[in-house]
PDB file of all heavy atoms in Angstrom:
ATOM      1  N   PHE A  99      29.112  24.397   8.529  1.00 85.00           N
ATOM      2  CA  PHE A  99      28.266  24.610   9.701  1.00 85.00           C
ATOM      3  C   PHE A  99      28.763  25.874  10.387  1.00 85.00           C
ATOM      4  O   PHE A  99      29.488  25.835  11.371  1.00 85.00           O
ATOM      5  CB  PHE A  99      28.355  23.400  10.636  1.00 85.00           C
ATOM      6  CG  PHE A  99      27.268  23.358  11.671  1.00 85.00           C
ATOM      7  CD1 PHE A  99      26.333  22.350  11.660  1.00 85.00           C
ATOM      8  CD2 PHE A  99      27.181  24.329  12.656  1.00 85.00           C
ATOM      9  CE1 PHE A  99      25.327  22.296  12.619  1.00 85.00           C
ATOM     10  CE2 PHE A  99      26.189  24.305  13.609  1.00 85.00           C
ATOM     11  CZ  PHE A  99      25.253  23.269  13.586  1.00 85.00           C
ATOM     12  N   ARG A 123      16.952  16.020  12.788  1.00 98.00           N
ATOM     13  CA  ARG A 123      16.486  16.890  13.865  1.00 98.00           C
ATOM     14  C   ARG A 123      17.498  17.991  14.145  1.00 98.00           C
ATOM     15  O   ARG A 123      18.713  17.751  14.198  1.00 98.00           O
ATOM     16  CB  ARG A 123      16.243  16.094  15.147  1.00 98.00           C
ATOM     17  CG  ARG A 123      15.030  15.200  15.093  1.00 98.00           C
ATOM     18  CD  ARG A 123      14.595  14.796  16.480  1.00 98.00           C
ATOM     19  NE  ARG A 123      14.109  15.965  17.223  1.00 98.00           N
ATOM     20  CZ  ARG A 123      13.845  15.956  18.534  1.00 98.00           C
ATOM     21  NH1 ARG A 123      14.054  14.856  19.235  1.00 98.00           N
ATOM     22  NH2 ARG A 123      13.414  17.043  19.128  1.00 98.00           N
ATOM     23  N   PRO A 124      17.029  19.224  14.341  1.00 98.00           N
ATOM     24  CA  PRO A 124      17.942  20.351  14.555  1.00 98.00           C
ATOM     25  C   PRO A 124      18.872  20.176  15.747  1.00 98.00           C
ATOM     26  O   PRO A 124      20.064  20.497  15.659  1.00 98.00           O
ATOM     27  CB  PRO A 124      16.995  21.539  14.757  1.00 98.00           C
ATOM     28  CG  PRO A 124      15.717  21.128  14.109  1.00 98.00           C
ATOM     29  CD  PRO A 124      15.617  19.647  14.274  1.00 98.00           C
ATOM     30  N   GLN A 125      18.357  19.681  16.863  1.00 98.00           N
ATOM     31  CA  GLN A 125      19.212  19.481  18.028  1.00 98.00           C
ATOM     32  C   GLN A 125      20.309  18.471  17.723  1.00 98.00           C
ATOM     33  O   GLN A 125      21.467  18.647  18.107  1.00 98.00           O
ATOM     34  CB  GLN A 125      18.387  19.013  19.222  1.00 98.00           C
ATOM     35  CG  GLN A 125      19.220  18.813  20.489  1.00 98.00           C
ATOM     36  CD  GLN A 125      18.369  18.414  21.688  1.00 98.00           C
ATOM     37  OE1 GLN A 125      17.152  18.509  21.657  1.00 98.00           O
ATOM     38  NE2 GLN A 125      19.013  17.967  22.746  1.00 98.00           N
ATOM     39  N   ALA A 126      19.966  17.417  17.004  1.00 98.00           N
ATOM     40  CA  ALA A 126      20.959  16.398  16.657  1.00 98.00           C
ATOM     41  C   ALA A 126      22.012  16.964  15.705  1.00 98.00           C
ATOM     42  O   ALA A 126      23.194  16.613  15.799  1.00 98.00           O
ATOM     43  CB  ALA A 126      20.274  15.191  16.034  1.00 98.00           C
ATOM     44  N   LEU A 127      21.610  17.845  14.797  1.00 97.00           N
ATOM     45  CA  LEU A 127      22.576  18.491  13.913  1.00 97.00           C
ATOM     46  C   LEU A 127      23.593  19.286  14.718  1.00 97.00           C
ATOM     47  O   LEU A 127      24.798  19.245  14.450  1.00 97.00           O
ATOM     48  CB  LEU A 127      21.862  19.413  12.921  1.00 97.00           C
ATOM     49  CG  LEU A 127      21.056  18.742  11.815  1.00 97.00           C
ATOM     50  CD1 LEU A 127      20.286  19.787  11.020  1.00 97.00           C
ATOM     51  CD2 LEU A 127      21.961  17.935  10.890  1.00 97.00           C
ATOM     52  N   ARG A 128      23.116  20.009  15.715  1.00 96.00           N
ATOM     53  CA  ARG A 128      24.029  20.814  16.537  1.00 96.00           C
ATOM     54  C   ARG A 128      24.935  19.948  17.386  1.00 96.00           C
ATOM     55  O   ARG A 128      26.089  20.299  17.630  1.00 96.00           O
ATOM     56  CB  ARG A 128      23.238  21.761  17.449  1.00 96.00           C
ATOM     57  CG  ARG A 128      22.595  22.926  16.753  1.00 96.00           C
ATOM     58  CD  ARG A 128      22.222  24.018  17.745  1.00 96.00           C
ATOM     59  NE  ARG A 128      21.374  23.536  18.816  1.00 96.00           N
ATOM     60  CZ  ARG A 128      20.049  23.445  18.755  1.00 96.00           C
ATOM     61  NH1 ARG A 128      19.424  23.779  17.641  1.00 96.00           N
ATOM     62  NH2 ARG A 128      19.348  23.020  19.776  1.00 96.00           N
ATOM     63  N   GLU A 129      24.421  18.816  17.878  1.00 95.00           N
ATOM     64  CA  GLU A 129      25.168  18.001  18.835  1.00 95.00           C
ATOM     65  C   GLU A 129      26.109  17.007  18.165  1.00 95.00           C
ATOM     66  O   GLU A 129      26.827  16.289  18.864  1.00 95.00           O
ATOM     67  CB  GLU A 129      24.191  17.272  19.754  1.00 95.00           C
ATOM     68  CG  GLU A 129      23.449  18.226  20.684  1.00 95.00           C
ATOM     69  CD  GLU A 129      22.503  17.527  21.635  1.00 95.00           C
ATOM     70  OE1 GLU A 129      22.285  16.301  21.463  1.00 95.00           O
ATOM     71  OE2 GLU A 129      21.966  18.201  22.527  1.00 95.00           O
ATOM     72  N   HIS A 130      26.115  16.966  16.836  1.00 95.00           N
ATOM     73  CA  HIS A 130      26.988  16.030  16.124  1.00 95.00           C
ATOM     74  C   HIS A 130      27.793  16.756  15.053  1.00 95.00           C
ATOM     75  O   HIS A 130      27.637  16.500  13.858  1.00 95.00           O
ATOM     76  CB  HIS A 130      26.171  14.887  15.504  1.00 95.00           C
ATOM     77  CG  HIS A 130      25.490  14.024  16.515  1.00 95.00           C
ATOM     78  ND1 HIS A 130      24.293  14.382  17.105  1.00 95.00           N
ATOM     79  CD2 HIS A 130      25.842  12.839  17.064  1.00 95.00           C
ATOM     80  CE1 HIS A 130      23.945  13.435  17.966  1.00 95.00           C
ATOM     81  NE2 HIS A 130      24.865  12.494  17.966  1.00 95.00           N
ATOM     82  N   PRO A 131      28.654  17.693  15.473  1.00 89.00           N
ATOM     83  CA  PRO A 131      29.520  18.328  14.476  1.00 89.00           C
ATOM     84  C   PRO A 131      30.319  17.262  13.744  1.00 89.00           C
ATOM     85  O   PRO A 131      30.804  16.297  14.349  1.00 89.00           O
ATOM     86  CB  PRO A 131      30.417  19.248  15.308  1.00 89.00           C
ATOM     87  CG  PRO A 131      30.338  18.724  16.702  1.00 89.00           C
ATOM     88  CD  PRO A 131      28.987  18.118  16.840  1.00 89.00           C
ATOM     89  N   GLU A 132      30.464  17.429  12.432  1.00 85.00           N
ATOM     90  CA  GLU A 132      30.786  16.288  11.582  1.00 85.00           C
ATOM     91  C   GLU A 132      32.156  15.673  11.833  1.00 85.00           C
ATOM     92  O   GLU A 132      32.378  14.517  11.521  1.00 85.00           O
ATOM     93  CB  GLU A 132      30.600  16.693  10.127  1.00 85.00           C
ATOM     94  CG  GLU A 132      29.146  17.129   9.888  1.00 85.00           C
ATOM     95  CD  GLU A 132      28.776  17.219   8.434  1.00 85.00           C
ATOM     96  OE1 GLU A 132      29.639  17.600   7.623  1.00 85.00           O
ATOM     97  OE2 GLU A 132      27.618  16.925   8.114  1.00 85.00           O
ATOM     98  N   LYS A 133      33.064  16.415  12.390  1.00 88.00           N
ATOM     99  CA  LYS A 133      34.369  15.823  12.713  1.00 88.00           C
ATOM    100  C   LYS A 133      34.429  15.413  14.185  1.00 88.00           C
ATOM    101  O   LYS A 133      34.903  14.320  14.510  1.00 88.00           O
ATOM    102  CB  LYS A 133      35.479  16.793  12.334  1.00 88.00           C
ATOM    103  CG  LYS A 133      35.568  16.995  10.813  1.00 88.00           C
ATOM    104  CD  LYS A 133      36.649  17.936  10.418  1.00 88.00           C
ATOM    105  CE  LYS A 133      36.794  17.991   8.896  1.00 88.00           C
ATOM    106  NZ  LYS A 133      35.591  18.511   8.211  1.00 88.00           N
ATOM    107  N   LEU A 134      33.930  16.245  15.079  1.00 92.00           N
ATOM    108  CA  LEU A 134      34.000  15.919  16.503  1.00 92.00           C
ATOM    109  C   LEU A 134      33.146  14.711  16.870  1.00 92.00           C
ATOM    110  O   LEU A 134      33.485  13.969  17.805  1.00 92.00           O
ATOM    111  CB  LEU A 134      33.558  17.124  17.330  1.00 92.00           C
ATOM    112  CG  LEU A 134      34.465  18.361  17.288  1.00 92.00           C
ATOM    113  CD1 LEU A 134      33.876  19.463  18.139  1.00 92.00           C
ATOM    114  CD2 LEU A 134      35.864  18.016  17.759  1.00 92.00           C
ATOM    115  N   ALA A 135      32.042  14.497  16.162  1.00 94.00           N
ATOM    116  CA  ALA A 135      31.150  13.384  16.498  1.00 94.00           C
ATOM    117  C   ALA A 135      31.868  12.046  16.425  1.00 94.00           C
ATOM    118  O   ALA A 135      31.479  11.075  17.092  1.00 94.00           O
ATOM    119  CB  ALA A 135      29.939  13.389  15.565  1.00 94.00           C
ATOM    120  N   LEU A 136      32.902  11.991  15.627  1.00 94.00           N
ATOM    121  CA  LEU A 136      33.674  10.757  15.470  1.00 94.00           C
ATOM    122  C   LEU A 136      34.211  10.234  16.798  1.00 94.00           C
ATOM    123  O   LEU A 136      34.258   9.020  17.035  1.00 94.00           O
ATOM    124  CB  LEU A 136      34.838  11.026  14.509  1.00 94.00           C
ATOM    125  CG  LEU A 136      35.938   9.976  14.424  1.00 94.00           C
ATOM    126  CD1 LEU A 136      35.406   8.735  13.739  1.00 94.00           C
ATOM    127  CD2 LEU A 136      37.140  10.547  13.685  1.00 94.00           C
ATOM    128  N   GLU A 138      33.172  10.077  19.743  1.00 96.00           N
ATOM    129  CA  GLU A 138      32.297   9.257  20.577  1.00 96.00           C
ATOM    130  C   GLU A 138      32.487   7.775  20.269  1.00 96.00           C
ATOM    131  O   GLU A 138      32.264   6.912  21.121  1.00 96.00           O
ATOM    132  CB  GLU A 138      30.832   9.651  20.358  1.00 96.00           C
ATOM    133  CG  GLU A 138      29.852   8.817  21.167  1.00 96.00           C
ATOM    134  CD  GLU A 138      28.402   9.143  20.873  1.00 96.00           C
ATOM    135  OE1 GLU A 138      28.123  10.150  20.191  1.00 96.00           O
ATOM    136  OE2 GLU A 138      27.532   8.365  21.325  1.00 96.00           O
ATOM    137  N   PHE A 139      32.896   7.495  19.046  1.00 97.00           N
ATOM    138  CA  PHE A 139      33.059   6.110  18.597  1.00 97.00           C
ATOM    139  C   PHE A 139      34.538   5.838  18.332  1.00 97.00           C
ATOM    140  O   PHE A 139      34.939   5.359  17.265  1.00 97.00           O
ATOM    141  CB  PHE A 139      32.223   5.883  17.339  1.00 97.00           C
ATOM    142  CG  PHE A 139      30.767   6.225  17.529  1.00 97.00           C
ATOM    143  CD1 PHE A 139      30.266   7.447  17.102  1.00 97.00           C
ATOM    144  CD2 PHE A 139      29.915   5.349  18.169  1.00 97.00           C
ATOM    145  CE1 PHE A 139      28.931   7.773  17.283  1.00 97.00           C
ATOM    146  CE2 PHE A 139      28.578   5.659  18.358  1.00 97.00           C
ATOM    147  CZ  PHE A 139      28.082   6.884  17.915  1.00 97.00           C
ATOM    148  N   LYS A 269      22.278   3.972  17.128  1.00 98.00           N
ATOM    149  CA  LYS A 269      22.447   5.029  18.135  1.00 98.00           C
ATOM    150  C   LYS A 269      22.150   6.397  17.550  1.00 98.00           C
ATOM    151  O   LYS A 269      21.475   7.235  18.184  1.00 98.00           O
ATOM    152  CB  LYS A 269      23.884   4.999  18.679  1.00 98.00           C
ATOM    153  CG  LYS A 269      24.201   3.766  19.515  1.00 98.00           C
ATOM    154  CD  LYS A 269      25.631   3.804  20.038  1.00 98.00           C
ATOM    155  CE  LYS A 269      25.951   2.572  20.862  1.00 98.00           C
ATOM    156  NZ  LYS A 269      27.358   2.575  21.361  1.00 98.00           N
ATOM    157  N   LEU A 270      22.639   6.658  16.344  1.00 98.00           N
ATOM    158  CA  LEU A 270      22.409   7.962  15.737  1.00 98.00           C
ATOM    159  C   LEU A 270      20.960   8.116  15.296  1.00 98.00           C
ATOM    160  O   LEU A 270      20.381   9.208  15.416  1.00 98.00           O
ATOM    161  CB  LEU A 270      23.356   8.158  14.560  1.00 98.00           C
ATOM    162  CG  LEU A 270      24.848   8.178  14.906  1.00 98.00           C
ATOM    163  CD1 LEU A 270      25.681   8.468  13.663  1.00 98.00           C
ATOM    164  CD2 LEU A 270      25.156   9.195  15.993  1.00 98.00           C
ATOM    165  N   ARG A 273      18.638   9.322  17.931  1.00 98.00           N
ATOM    166  CA  ARG A 273      18.783  10.735  18.286  1.00 98.00           C
ATOM    167  C   ARG A 273      18.145  11.666  17.251  1.00 98.00           C
ATOM    168  O   ARG A 273      18.263  12.881  17.368  1.00 98.00           O
ATOM    169  CB  ARG A 273      20.267  11.068  18.441  1.00 98.00           C
ATOM    170  CG  ARG A 273      20.948  10.247  19.528  1.00 98.00           C
ATOM    171  CD  ARG A 273      22.448  10.441  19.512  1.00 98.00           C
ATOM    172  NE  ARG A 273      23.125   9.495  20.393  1.00 98.00           N
ATOM    173  CZ  ARG A 273      24.443   9.359  20.492  1.00 98.00           C
ATOM    174  NH1 ARG A 273      25.232  10.128  19.750  1.00 98.00           N
ATOM    175  NH2 ARG A 273      24.971   8.477  21.303  1.00 98.00           N
ATOM    176  N   GLY A 274      17.492  11.098  16.263  1.00 98.00           N
ATOM    177  CA  GLY A 274      16.808  11.924  15.277  1.00 98.00           C
ATOM    178  C   GLY A 274      17.591  12.169  14.009  1.00 98.00           C
ATOM    179  O   GLY A 274      17.266  13.082  13.242  1.00 98.00           O
ATOM    180  N   LEU A 275      18.611  11.349  13.764  1.00 98.00           N
ATOM    181  CA  LEU A 275      19.408  11.477  12.542  1.00 98.00           C
ATOM    182  C   LEU A 275      18.942  10.411  11.553  1.00 98.00           C
ATOM    183  O   LEU A 275      19.390   9.270  11.578  1.00 98.00           O
ATOM    184  CB  LEU A 275      20.897  11.337  12.859  1.00 98.00           C
ATOM    185  CG  LEU A 275      21.461  12.476  13.722  1.00 98.00           C
ATOM    186  CD1 LEU A 275      22.840  12.127  14.262  1.00 98.00           C
ATOM    187  CD2 LEU A 275      21.511  13.779  12.936  1.00 98.00           C
ATOM    188  N   VAL A 278      22.657   9.631   7.640  1.00 98.00           N
ATOM    189  CA  VAL A 278      24.031   9.857   8.096  1.00 98.00           C
ATOM    190  C   VAL A 278      24.972   9.310   7.028  1.00 98.00           C
ATOM    191  O   VAL A 278      24.697   8.268   6.413  1.00 98.00           O
ATOM    192  CB  VAL A 278      24.295   9.141   9.442  1.00 98.00           C
ATOM    193  CG1 VAL A 278      25.767   9.252   9.846  1.00 98.00           C
ATOM    194  CG2 VAL A 278      23.388   9.697  10.532  1.00 98.00           C
ATOM    195  N   ILE A 290      31.864  11.679  10.538  1.00 96.00           N
ATOM    196  CA  ILE A 290      30.452  11.314  10.568  1.00 96.00           C
ATOM    197  C   ILE A 290      29.678  12.519  10.051  1.00 96.00           C
ATOM    198  O   ILE A 290      29.606  13.557  10.711  1.00 96.00           O
ATOM    199  CB  ILE A 290      29.994  10.923  11.984  1.00 96.00           C
ATOM    200  CG1 ILE A 290      30.757   9.676  12.460  1.00 96.00           C
ATOM    201  CG2 ILE A 290      28.493  10.681  12.023  1.00 96.00           C
ATOM    202  CD1 ILE A 290      30.431   9.251  13.875  1.00 96.00           C
ATOM    203  N   ASN A 291      29.115  12.394   8.855  1.00 95.00           N
ATOM    204  CA  ASN A 291      28.452  13.514   8.185  1.00 95.00           C
ATOM    205  C   ASN A 291      26.949  13.460   8.431  1.00 95.00           C
ATOM    206  O   ASN A 291      26.306  12.443   8.174  1.00 95.00           O
ATOM    207  CB  ASN A 291      28.730  13.451   6.680  1.00 95.00           C
ATOM    208  CG  ASN A 291      30.206  13.562   6.367  1.00 95.00           C
ATOM    209  OD1 ASN A 291      30.749  14.641   6.274  1.00 95.00           O
ATOM    210  ND2 ASN A 291      30.868  12.411   6.234  1.00 95.00           N
ATOM    211  N   VAL A 292      26.385  14.571   8.924  1.00 96.00           N
ATOM    212  CA  VAL A 292      24.963  14.597   9.264  1.00 96.00           C
ATOM    213  C   VAL A 292      24.206  15.747   8.613  1.00 96.00           C
ATOM    214  O   VAL A 292      22.978  15.755   8.638  1.00 96.00           O
ATOM    215  CB  VAL A 292      24.764  14.669  10.800  1.00 96.00           C
ATOM    216  CG1 VAL A 292      25.409  13.470  11.492  1.00 96.00           C
ATOM    217  CG2 VAL A 292      25.297  15.972  11.385  1.00 96.00           C
ATOM    218  N   THR A 293      24.896  16.729   8.042  1.00 94.00           N
ATOM    219  CA  THR A 293      24.190  17.904   7.521  1.00 94.00           C
ATOM    220  C   THR A 293      23.468  17.599   6.218  1.00 94.00           C
ATOM    221  O   THR A 293      22.247  17.721   6.137  1.00 94.00           O
ATOM    222  CB  THR A 293      25.146  19.094   7.347  1.00 94.00           C
ATOM    223  OG1 THR A 293      26.292  18.675   6.606  1.00 94.00           O
ATOM    224  CG2 THR A 293      25.584  19.633   8.694  1.00 94.00           C
TER     225      THR A 293
END
Side-chain angles (χ1 to χ4, degrees):
F99 195 115
R123 288 198 67 190
Q125 181 177 347
L127 288 174
R128 287 198 305 274
E129 292 182 351
H130 296 81
E132 300 194 325
K133 293 180 174 63
L134 293 179
L136 167 70
E138 179 184 349
F139 304 99
K269 292 181 180 179
L270 297 184
R273 300 171 190 174
L275 294 167
V278 174
I290 297 177
N291 299 275
V292 301
T293 51

